[in-house]
């Protein structure tokens, strides 16, 4: 789908696919989307990683022992000829006091099936600043249940809080067989994002882009470009009602644009039918489209 819009800010609300932006000149810039979901444990550096990929500060990020991201958040940016759409999620192992107000697994699951047409990549962020614990192993098992085995065909490991040194990472992996197994499942798709709490080194972001490009091409070649949720179609039928309500209140908005807006709102928990969406549950939830 090709769209012409007046400015960059409007791009984040346009339908999925290929987008066309117009600047001050008559020449149009065509942008193809890259859709990413960030997943990881509390304090791993998901929001910081998302900001680095976008090339701007979109998600609140700071080093602390409490969860900064308390629900799924959406951000986008045009960079290097692509429109990056990124969804940041709460920590998989978020503390009990957060779980009383936010069901993290439901939030992540809802984000997975409300996003059209799916995700090009699942970015699992791991902090090198902490030793692998029993809690980490439980998180990996939880991700297996939440995402399904098909997720590894779309997964990229981002190693945060470590200087960009593959030799040092190799030494650390020798002491963590669970991470070695995870890396093998991901076909050795991993990238180090440095140890600067403010900025991710340019060369690290460039390496991530190269890995993402290769991943997308491989999955496109297999005819399975997107990672999607088993309940995607059921969620879409619910969101059709949201779209009809939105178009009734905004008659000048196109159907495609309205659908993209209600989907984005739904991923953050703002659908008027959120209870219905949260009711779609299945531990073996995901498939490939």
């Amino acid at each position: 789908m090709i769209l012409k819009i007046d400015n960059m800010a409007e791009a984040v609300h346009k339908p999925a696919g290929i987008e066309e932006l117009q600047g001050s000149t008559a020449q149009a810039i065509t942008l193809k989307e890259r859709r990413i979901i960030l997943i990881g444990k509390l304090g791993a550096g998901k929001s910081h990683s998302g900001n680095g990929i976008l090339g701007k500060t979109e998600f609140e990020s700071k080093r602390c022992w409490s969860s900064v991201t308390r629900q799924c958040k959406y951000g986008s940016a045009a960079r290097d000829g692509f429109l990056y759409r990124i969804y940041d999620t709460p920590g998989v192992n978020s503390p009990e006091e957060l779980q009383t107000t936010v069901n993290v697994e439901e939030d992540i699951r809802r984000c997975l099936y409300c996003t059209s047409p799916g995700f090009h990549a699942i970015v699992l962020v791991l902090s090198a600043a902490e030793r692998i614990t029993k809690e980490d192993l439980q998180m990996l098992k939880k991700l297996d249940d939440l995402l399904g085995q098909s997720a590894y065909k779309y997964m990229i490991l981002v190693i945060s809080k470590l200087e960009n040194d593959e030799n040092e990472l190799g030494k650390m992996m020798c002491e963590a067989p669970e991470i070695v197994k995870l890396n093998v499942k991901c076909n050795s798709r991993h990238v180090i994002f440095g140890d600067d709490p403010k900025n991710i080194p340019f060369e690290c972001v460039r390496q991530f882009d190269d890995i993402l490009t290769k991943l997308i091409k491989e999955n496109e070649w297999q005819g399975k470009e997107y990672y999607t949720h088993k309940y995607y179609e059921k969620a879409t039928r619910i969101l059709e009602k949201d779209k009809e309500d939105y178009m009734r209140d905004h008659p000048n908005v196109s159907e495609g644009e309205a659908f993209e807006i209600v989907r984005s709102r739904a991923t953050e928990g703002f659908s008027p039918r959120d209870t219905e969406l949260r009711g779609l549950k299945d531990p073996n939830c995901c498939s490939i489209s």
Side-chain angles (χ1 to χ4, degrees):
M1 181 179 294
I2 301 293
L3 298 170
K4 292 184 178 180
I5 59 181
D6 294 330
N7 57 60
M8 192 75 71
E10 292 182 30
V12 300
H13 299 302
K14 295 299 175 180
I18 298 176
E19 305 201 11
E20 191 173 273
L21 309 180
Q22 288 185 323
S24 57
T25 66
Q27 184 178 11
I29 304 172
T30 301
L31 299 181
K32 190 170 183 179
E33 289 185 334
R34 289 183 162 184
R35 289 179 168 265
I36 298 167
I37 185 169
L38 301 166
I39 292 178
K41 64 179 288 188
L42 170 69
K46 298 183 299 298
S47 299
H48 178 55
S49 299
N51 290 336
I53 296 168
L54 289 175
K56 67 174 185 176
T57 301
E58 186 73 32
F59 307 113
E60 184 180 359
S61 172
K62 61 182 179 180
R63 290 189 176 179
C64 60
W65 285 323
S66 62
S67 181
V68 175
T69 303
R70 292 180 173 265
Q71 63 184 39
C72 292
K73 295 290 185 180
Y74 167 74
S76 69
R79 179 173 66 77
D80 297 335
F82 293 95
L83 178 63
Y84 286 80
R85 295 185 185 271
I86 296 183
Y87 294 80
D88 186 19
T89 65
V92 176
N93 63 324
S94 292
E96 291 183 5
E97 61 267 24
L98 176 58
Q99 293 279 13
T100 59
T101 58
V102 177
N103 187 315
V104 174
E105 291 185 38
E106 281 189 4
D107 256 33
I108 295 174
R109 190 181 298 115
R110 181 186 57 201
C111 184
L112 288 170
Y113 57 59
C114 286
T115 306
S116 172
F119 292 99
H120 290 107
I122 300 167
V123 173
L124 176 57
V125 183
L126 302 173
S127 170
E130 304 171 9
R131 296 184 66 85
I132 300 300
T133 65
K134 184 181 295 186
E135 185 181 66
D136 294 298
L137 300 182
Q138 291 173 348
M139 180 202 71
L140 294 177
K141 175 61 169 63
K142 187 176 292 186
L143 288 180
D144 276 346
D145 295 339
L146 185 65
L147 303 175
Q149 289 297 313
S150 64
Y152 296 106
K153 295 181 180 180
Y154 298 83
M155 190 172 288
I156 299 174
L157 302 181
V158 162
I159 313 300
S160 65
K161 304 176 186 179
L162 177 69
E163 291 297 329
N164 190 17
D165 185 342
E166 281 286 340
N167 291 330
E168 181 63 24
L169 177 61
K171 293 177 183 177
M172 293 180 67
M173 282 191 171
C174 287
E175 300 175 357
E178 298 82 5
I179 302 302
V180 173
K181 293 177 184 177
L182 180 62
N183 189 47
V184 170
K185 285 184 177 181
C186 298
N187 199 23
S188 296
R189 289 185 297 269
H190 67 262
V191 58
I192 303 170
F193 264 15
D195 194 29
D196 186 338
K198 294 183 178 179
N199 299 296
I200 294 173
F202 171 81
E203 62 271 17
C204 297
V205 177
R206 181 62 63 201
Q207 184 183 1
F208 175 85
D209 290 345
D210 291 343
I211 292 173
L212 179 60
T213 297
K214 183 179 179 180
L215 172 65
I216 292 173
K217 287 182 178 179
E218 288 176 350
N219 288 330
E220 282 181 338
W221 184 78
Q222 295 177 14
K224 300 173 181 178
E225 181 176 0
Y226 298 102
Y227 172 88
T228 57
H229 193 283
K230 175 180 178 179
Y231 285 158
Y232 174 81
E233 294 298 334
K234 290 184 177 180
T236 296
R237 288 195 288 271
I238 295 172
L239 293 175
E240 283 279 359
K241 301 173 185 177
D242 284 8
K243 181 196 70 176
E244 292 170 3
D245 292 345
Y246 188 88
M247 292 186 70
R248 192 178 303 115
D249 296 334
H250 304 81
N252 294 326
V253 175
S254 70
E255 183 174 355
E257 184 176 1
F259 215 176
E260 180 71 11
I261 290 171
V262 299
R263 281 191 184 278
S264 294
R265 289 181 174 179
T267 61
E268 297 182 296
F270 298 126
S271 166
R273 297 172 176 84
D274 189 55
T275 301
E276 290 182 64
L277 293 171
R278 285 181 175 273
L280 300 176
K281 295 181 180 181
D282 187 339
N284 301 311
C285 63
C286 298
S287 60
I288 305 173
S289 69

